[in-house]
């Protein structure tokens, strides 16, 4: 038996053909039990209207069977391109045509036929090679919604073996069937509007249910609500809106109006064998409506974000530490912190979302790592996007490490600037929120300069969302390494400051990853520990302590608001009341049922500086592995709170090189160089794991010691800095 698989491209086109619809025999269709009602089928069919539903995928994916069933369910005619178009046009079997013209010409001949084909309101099963002919696919897609049946190549191989298929067209002595299947995938991913991820063992009924589910989602809106308002009180807001706006008009944070999508066991099984970018693509498609961000465009963004920008091919690898503890290394990005995991992608989504004629200023507060990650991520945009997007970063002048400051202040582009503030991170964040909520200031920027404000902090949903990917990936990697089986529980322990990293792990549990316990780890700025344990969030008489782990030197965690909204089952009135009380009285207490729900899912602890340093020393002595101070905080807390009945994944949020002086002191190195680069050499002379972070070393080696502006801790002073930067950046463009 021979299946057509022709890995060649051609673009010649001629001839016109008008297609006559072919009735198919109902006896070949398996009637399936569906969760969809007749009214739902009718509604879907009416949405499709005069468009076609095009089903693409590799040979053996089940396109024809699924297409017939879907056509029957929706009451739409079904067309099989092979049987109803190609063979009727050529007046011969496809196999005979293939034999006559050969593999080199077949794709061209097939494309000619499709270019002269027209239909409307039909379900069409495309051939496995149609997507390889771009001109004819463009013709078909103009009047079609393309559904991609993404079937695992090994499943295809098993089907071929069952069908006794031992060769395919295009196969040579040095090119296996698997090679050709992998080659074909890139073409299917260039055209689809909806992906149906087919799990191992999915029946035709399963696949059809998934197609119908994806279709229903396609024609429904996915909106966002504020944590502080009833859904009816704000206009319908979509993904691109929340990406651009950042903060909701009422001062709350945007969250999806529906729960996160839940993947089936078969879908999780498919993801195990995928690379990190492939996992990211599938998971983000599930969370971003295809009308908001086209999946094909999303693929390009993901490939650019996670393709060659990371110092490790696995992007966010899992490494065994000791006993049942594992670290997920989230620091292999260009700026050596977990912030790169989101900020290599978020700027591209932002540029995609904003109108082409609008200018935006991204305002960012950083406790150290976000600043350089934002600057690096937005520097990857194309020149046209840089012309309309500027970035201003505020950082605590004396609250970040020397290497972090060197990173942040080394960026020198006309649309990028970093300003130190003589205060802490909480003031920087508060200043930015004030500017966002000041209509007079926003109106002035819009009127005078045509500029709107947005943010890349984790208050922006598009910044928070990509973080779900690495938490999912950690679980999948543990399965891949044989540590656990699919369905086994794990715990996670996360050094927590602004709460976005922690919250994204909770969303992952909603999606089906069996995380048993979320462990919140704090340093001596332990407001979150107290809150998780008592339900009292109290900033009265709290003083921020500068520590060796500056990314969690935070008292007021922005994403805690999203957490309370989630844990209270969307009780926006409660959130509004609590945050009104926080504004006026600097504290609040959550109701007892909310606290009980927190305790069911979460635990929290904190550690001192001395304990943090002792952990760094102990782990290095036992394993040769160096933890950065944030990860050491998490390791210390995990030791105290985990019960040892399942693996715990510790989020390693930064490379130790960014905190060289404190790491060296922890390792009892007595003579420290005053030069950051020399300090890094001192660490690397110890031959530790993980190895040195080459992109960080390269960037610091090339970075000059530059002067930078410093602003006083005054809202008006910050406002003036913002206006000055906007004037200098966007007025030049007008001139």
């Amino acid at each position: 038996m021979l299946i057509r698989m022709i890995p060649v491209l051609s673009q010649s086109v001629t001839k016109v053909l008008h297609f006559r619809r072919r009735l198919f025999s109902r006896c070949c269709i398996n009637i399936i039990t569906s969760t969809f009602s007749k009214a739902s089928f009718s509604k879907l069919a009416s949405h499709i209207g005069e468009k076609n539903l095009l089903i693409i995928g590799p040979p053996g994916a089940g396109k024809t069977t699924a297409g017939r069933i879907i056509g029957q369910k929706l009451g739409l005619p079904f067309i099989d391109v092979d049987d109803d178009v190609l063979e009727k046009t050529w007046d011969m079997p496809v196999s005979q045509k293939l034999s006559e013209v050969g593999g080199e010409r077949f794709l061209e001949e097939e494309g000619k036929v499709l270019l002269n084909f027209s239909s409307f309101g039909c379900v069409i099963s495309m051939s496995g090679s149609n997507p390889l002919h771009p001109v004819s696919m463009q013709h078909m897609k103009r009047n079609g919604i393309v559904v991609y049946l993404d079937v695992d190549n090994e499943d295809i191989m098993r089907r071929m073996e069952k069908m006794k298929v031992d060769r395919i067209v295009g196969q040579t002595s040095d090119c296996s069937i698997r090679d050709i299947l992998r080659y074909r995938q890139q073409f299917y991913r260039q055209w689809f509007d909806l992906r149906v991820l087919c799990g191992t063992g999915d029946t035709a009924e399963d696949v059809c249910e998934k197609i119908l589910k994806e279709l229903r989602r396609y024609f429904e809106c996915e909106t966002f609500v504020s944590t502080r308002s009833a859904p009816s009180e704000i206009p319908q807001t979509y993904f691109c809106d929340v990406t651009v706006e950042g903060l909701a008009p009422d001062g709350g944070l945007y969250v999806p109006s529906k729960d996160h999508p839940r993947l089936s066991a078969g879908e999780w099984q498919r993801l195990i064998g995928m690379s990190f970018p492939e996992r990211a693509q599938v998971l983000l498609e599930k969370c971003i409506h295809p009308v908001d961000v086209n999946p094909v465009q999303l693929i390009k963004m993901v490939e650019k974000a996670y393709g060659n920008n990371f110092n490790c091919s696995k992007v966010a690898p899992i490494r065994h530490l000791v006993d049942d503890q594992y670290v997920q290394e989230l620091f292999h990005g260009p700026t050596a912190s977990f912030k790169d995991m989101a900020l290599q992608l978020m700027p591209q989504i932002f540029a995609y979302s904003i109108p082409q004629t609008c200018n935006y200023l991204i305002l960012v507060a950083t406790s150290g790592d976000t600043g350089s990650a934002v600057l690096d991520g937005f520097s990857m945009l194309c020149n046209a996007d840089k012309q309309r997007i500027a970035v201003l970063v505020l950082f605590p002048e004396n609250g970040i490490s020397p290497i972090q400051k060197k990173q942040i202040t080394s960026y020198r582009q006309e649309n990028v600037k970093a300003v130190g503030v003589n205060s802490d991170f909480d003031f920087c964040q508060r200043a930015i929120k004030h500017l966002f909520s000041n209509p007079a200031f926003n109106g002035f920027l819009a009127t005078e300069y045509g500029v709107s404000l947005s943010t890349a902090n984790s208050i922006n949903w598009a910044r928070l969302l990509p973080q779900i990917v690495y938490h999912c990936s950690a679980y999948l990697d543990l399965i891949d390494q044989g540590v656990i089986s699919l369905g086994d529980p794990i715990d996670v322990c996360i050094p927590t400051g602004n709460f976005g990293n922690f919250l994204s792990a909770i969303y992952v549990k909603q999606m089906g990853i069996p995380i048993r316990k979320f462990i919140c780890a704090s340093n001596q700025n332990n407001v979150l520990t107290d809150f998780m344990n008592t339900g009292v969030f109290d900033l009265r008489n709290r003083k921020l302590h500068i520590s060796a782990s500056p990314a969690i030197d935070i008292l007021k965690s922005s994403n805690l608001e999203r957490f309370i909204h989630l844990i209270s089952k969307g009780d926006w009135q409660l959130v509004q009341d609590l945050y009104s009380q926080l504004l006026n009285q600097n504290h609040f207490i959550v109701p007892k049922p909310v606290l009980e729900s927190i305790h069911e899912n979460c635990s929290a602890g904190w550690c001192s500086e001395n304990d943090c340093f002792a952990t760094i020393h102990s782990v290095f002595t036992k394993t040769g592995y160096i933890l950065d101070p944030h990860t050491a905080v998490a390791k210390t807390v995990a030791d105290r709170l985990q019960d040892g009945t399942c693996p715990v994944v510790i989020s390693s949020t930064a490379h130790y090189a960014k905190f060289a002086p404190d790491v060296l002191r922890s390792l009892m190195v007595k003579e420290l160089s005053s030069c950051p680069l020399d300090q890094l050499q001192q660490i690397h002379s110890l031959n530790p794991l993980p190895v040195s972070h080459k992109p960080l070393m390269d960037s610091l080696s090339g970075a000059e010691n530059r002067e930078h502006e410093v602003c006083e801790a005054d809202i008006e002073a910050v406002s003036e800095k913002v206006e000055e930067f906007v004037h200098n950046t966007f007025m030049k463009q007008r001139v």
Side-chain angles (χ1 to χ4, degrees):
M1 186 178 292
L2 186 68
I3 288 184
R4 295 184 298 109
M5 293 193 68
I6 310 169
V8 296
L9 292 172
S10 177
Q11 299 191 24
S12 299
V13 291
T14 52
K15 195 177 177 181
V16 173
L17 172 77
H18 293 284
F19 172 74
R20 290 184 307 171
R21 293 194 182 101
R22 173 180 177 269
L23 297 177
F24 57 87
S25 172
R26 290 180 181 268
C27 65
C28 67
I29 299 177
N30 296 319
I31 305 300
I32 67 174
T33 302
S34 176
T35 58
F36 289 76
S37 65
K38 289 183 179 180
S40 297
F41 292 136
S42 177
K43 187 176 181 180
L44 280 178
S46 67
H47 280 313
I48 292 171
E50 295 192 352
K51 282 185 172 291
N52 297 309
L53 185 64
L54 310 177
I55 303 178
I56 66 172
K63 301 184 296 296
T64 300
T65 302
R68 284 176 174 162
I69 296 173
I70 295 297
Q72 183 201 34
K73 286 292 179 183
L74 299 182
L76 299 176
F78 168 70
I79 301 169
D80 180 80
V81 165
D82 276 342
D83 295 344
D84 304 329
V85 181
L86 299 178
E87 293 192 356
K88 287 189 175 297
T89 302
W90 292 329
D91 197 25
M92 66 176 69
V94 168
S95 58
Q96 182 179 340
K97 182 71 171 180
L98 181 62
S99 177
E100 287 185 2
V101 303
E104 292 296 324
R105 282 189 53 199
F106 185 88
L107 187 62
E108 181 179 349
E109 294 296 321
E110 184 183 53
K112 288 179 183 179
V113 174
L114 284 185
L115 279 167
N116 299 294
F117 165 80
S118 64
S119 69
F120 60 90
C122 298
V123 178
I124 302 176
S125 170
M126 307 290 285
S127 79
S129 54
N130 288 154
L132 278 71
H133 194 276
V135 178
S136 60
M137 269 307 291
Q138 287 171 356
H139 168 73
M140 296 294 291
K141 187 174 170 64
R142 285 190 192 101
N143 193 41
I145 301 166
V146 182
V147 177
Y148 168 36
L149 298 190
D150 185 350
V151 181
D152 183 62
N153 286 343
E154 294 307 311
D155 283 350
I156 296 292
M157 294 296 297
R158 282 189 285 271
R159 293 177 190 179
M160 288 183 174
E161 184 178 349
K162 187 176 182 180
M163 297 165 63
K164 298 183 179 180
V165 175
D166 56 4
R167 66 187 183 91
I168 54 179
V169 174
Q171 184 179 356
T172 61
S173 59
D174 59 347
C175 184
S176 68
I177 293 177
R178 283 185 175 85
D179 291 336
I180 296 176
L181 286 172
R182 284 193 292 267
Y183 172 81
R184 281 281 183 94
Q185 287 176 334
Q186 63 183 304
F187 298 101
Y188 303 135
R189 293 171 182 170
Q190 290 176 5
W191 299 108
F192 72 94
D193 298 299
L194 303 171
R195 181 202 303 258
V196 172
L197 189 67
C198 302
T200 300
D202 276 359
T203 64
E205 291 84 355
D206 296 329
V207 172
C208 289
E209 284 289 306
K210 289 182 177 182
I211 293 174
L212 292 169
K213 181 179 177 182
E214 291 298 326
L215 274 175
R216 183 168 66 180
R217 180 194 177 206
Y218 185 79
F219 291 114
E220 290 179 349
C221 295
E222 289 182 358
T223 58
F224 289 74
V225 296
S226 169
T227 52
R228 300 188 190 181
S229 294
S232 60
E233 292 179 2
I234 61 173
Q236 281 201 327
T237 310
Y238 303 96
F239 179 82
C240 290
D241 300 324
V242 304
T243 298
V244 174
E245 293 176 23
L247 199 65
D250 59 8
L253 304 184
Y254 283 118
V255 292
S257 56
K258 297 180 180 178
D259 288 340
H260 278 70
R262 192 172 183 88
L263 278 67
S264 67
E267 289 172 323
W268 287 121
Q269 188 70 45
R270 280 291 313 278
L271 290 173
I272 293 171
M274 293 186 182
S275 67
F276 187 92
E278 290 171 332
R279 292 170 180 172
Q281 178 64 34
V282 171
L283 292 167
L284 292 173
E285 283 175 23
K286 296 279 188 181
C287 297
I288 303 174
H289 196 281
V291 173
D292 290 322
V293 179
N294 181 274
V296 175
Q297 293 300 315
L298 187 60
I299 286 176
K300 296 176 182 177
M301 296 180 201
V302 168
E303 288 176 346
K304 184 177 180 180
Y306 304 118
N308 300 311
N309 297 339
F310 283 73
N311 197 36
C312 175
S313 60
K314 289 187 174 293
V315 182
I318 283 284
R319 185 192 293 267
H320 179 247
L321 191 60
V322 292
D323 301 325
D324 56 358
Q325 293 181 343
Y326 296 79
V327 290
Q328 185 178 29
E329 297 178 345
L330 301 173
F331 49 70
H332 290 289
T335 70
S337 88
F338 83 102
K339 305 298 176 68
D340 292 321
M341 302 300 300
L343 283 165
Q344 286 295 300
L345 178 62
M346 183 267 182
Q348 298 179 70
I349 296 176
F350 185 87
Y352 178 90
S353 300
I354 66 175
Q356 291 293 322
T357 56
C358 294
N359 295 326
Y360 280 85
L361 172 64
I362 308 296
L363 277 180
V364 174
T366 181
S367 54
D369 288 329
T370 297
S372 56
V374 167
L375 295 170
D376 190 273
F378 278 92
S379 72
M380 298 294 291
L381 296 177
C382 66
N383 288 332
D385 288 333
K386 290 179 184 178
Q387 292 296 314
R388 59 201 182 105
I389 303 172
V391 180
L392 180 64
V393 172
L394 302 180
F395 65 92
E397 176 65 19
N398 298 310
I400 63 176
S401 77
I403 288 179
Q404 288 174 317
K405 184 181 292 189
K406 191 177 180 70
Q407 278 186 295
I408 292 172
T409 59
S410 67
Y411 287 89
R412 285 295 188 271
Q413 297 180 30
E414 287 191 356
N415 67 324
V416 164
K417 188 173 184 177
V419 176
V421 180
N422 284 324
S423 188
D424 54 30
F425 170 76
D426 283 337
F427 172 82
C428 296
Q429 186 163 252
R430 189 164 64 250
I432 285 179
K433 284 191 173 182
H434 173 82
L435 295 179
F436 269 89
S437 60
N438 186 336
F441 185 74
N442 282 265
F444 170 75
L445 292 182
T447 303
E448 189 72 16
Y449 302 106
V451 170
S452 298
L453 296 180
S454 191
T455 182
N457 282 94
S458 58
I459 60 174
N460 190 309
W461 182 255
R463 156 70 192 284
L464 179 67
L465 179 62
Q467 296 181 203
I468 67 168
V469 178
Y470 58 74
H471 289 300
C472 292
S473 191
Y475 185 81
L476 298 169
D477 281 346
L478 287 176
I479 298 173
D480 195 41
Q481 293 175 17
V483 177
I484 58 173
S485 298
L486 184 63
D488 290 346
I490 64 168
D491 293 339
V492 296
C493 184
I494 301 170
T496 308
N498 219 14
F499 217 77
N501 198 359
F502 193 91
L503 182 64
S504 59
I506 294 175
Y507 288 142
V508 162
K509 184 172 184 177
Q510 279 194 335
M511 298 176 71
I513 295 292
I515 299 176
R516 185 189 62 167
K517 185 69 74 173
F518 304 88
I519 304 173
C520 174
S522 300
N523 57 24
Q524 59 266 47
N525 296 296
N526 55 356
V527 175
L528 287 174
T529 301
D530 290 345
F531 169 73
M532 303 284 266
N533 290 330
T534 67
V536 180
F537 190 75
D538 194 348
L539 299 181
R540 295 172 297 183
N541 302 315
R542 285 275 190 173
K543 181 180 179 181
L544 189 78
H545 300 283
I546 302 301
S547 78
S549 44
I552 54 178
D553 286 346
I554 298 172
L555 297 180
K556 188 177 180 181
S557 303
S558 292
N559 280 291
L560 183 64
E561 183 169 343
R562 283 188 172 115
F563 175 70
I564 295 172
H565 186 271
L566 176 67
I567 212 80
S568 66
K569 297 179 171 50
D571 190 341
W572 60 269
Q573 188 64 63
L574 172 65
V575 176
Q576 185 184 93
D577 292 343
L578 292 178
Y579 276 83
S580 176
Q581 183 180 351
L582 183 65
L583 177 64
N584 296 319
Q585 302 176 26
N586 228 19
H587 80 288
F588 62 69
I589 303 174
V590 296
K592 185 177 179 180
V594 173
L595 180 60
E596 290 173 347
S597 183
I598 292 173
H599 288 167
E600 287 176 8
N601 297 279
C602 308
S603 59
W606 69 279
C607 79
S608 67
E609 289 283 84
N610 288 338
D611 288 342
C612 170
F613 296 153
T615 296
I616 293 174
H617 183 268
S618 173
V619 170
F620 178 70
T621 301
K622 292 177 182 177
T623 68
Y625 192 92
I626 296 183
L627 305 175
D628 90 289
H630 304 81
T631 312
V633 167
K635 158 71 172 162
T636 306
V637 173
D639 288 342
R640 297 170 182 171
L641 297 182
Q642 70 171 129
D643 61 13
T645 59
C646 70
V648 60
V649 174
I650 298 170
S651 289
S652 185
T653 55
H655 194 277
Y656 57 79
K658 301 190 80 168
F659 310 95
D662 289 311
V663 168
L664 287 167
R665 292 188 192 98
S666 300
L667 300 179
M668 308 302 181
V669 176
K670 295 180 180 180
E671 296 184 7
L672 300 186
S673 170
S674 59
C675 173
L677 286 173
D678 290 342
Q679 292 168 359
L680 298 186
Q681 293 299 334
Q682 284 183 281
I683 295 180
H684 297 150
S685 68
L686 301 173
N687 296 317
L689 293 173
V691 297
S692 63
H693 191 284
K694 189 175 185 304
L696 176 63
M697 293 288 290
D698 291 345
S699 66
L700 292 177
S701 298
E704 302 175 15
N705 288 319
R706 296 179 182 264
E707 295 294 326
H708 62 277
E709 293 186 27
V710 179
C711 176
E712 294 305 314
D714 178 78
I715 298 294
E716 290 301 319
V718 172
S719 301
E720 290 175 5
K721 287 292 182 185
V722 172
E723 182 189 346
E724 177 186 342
F725 177 62
V726 168
H727 177 84
N728 292 338
T729 302
F730 292 103
M731 289 304 290
K732 286 181 180 178
Q733 295 179 14
R734 291 185 181 182
V735 175

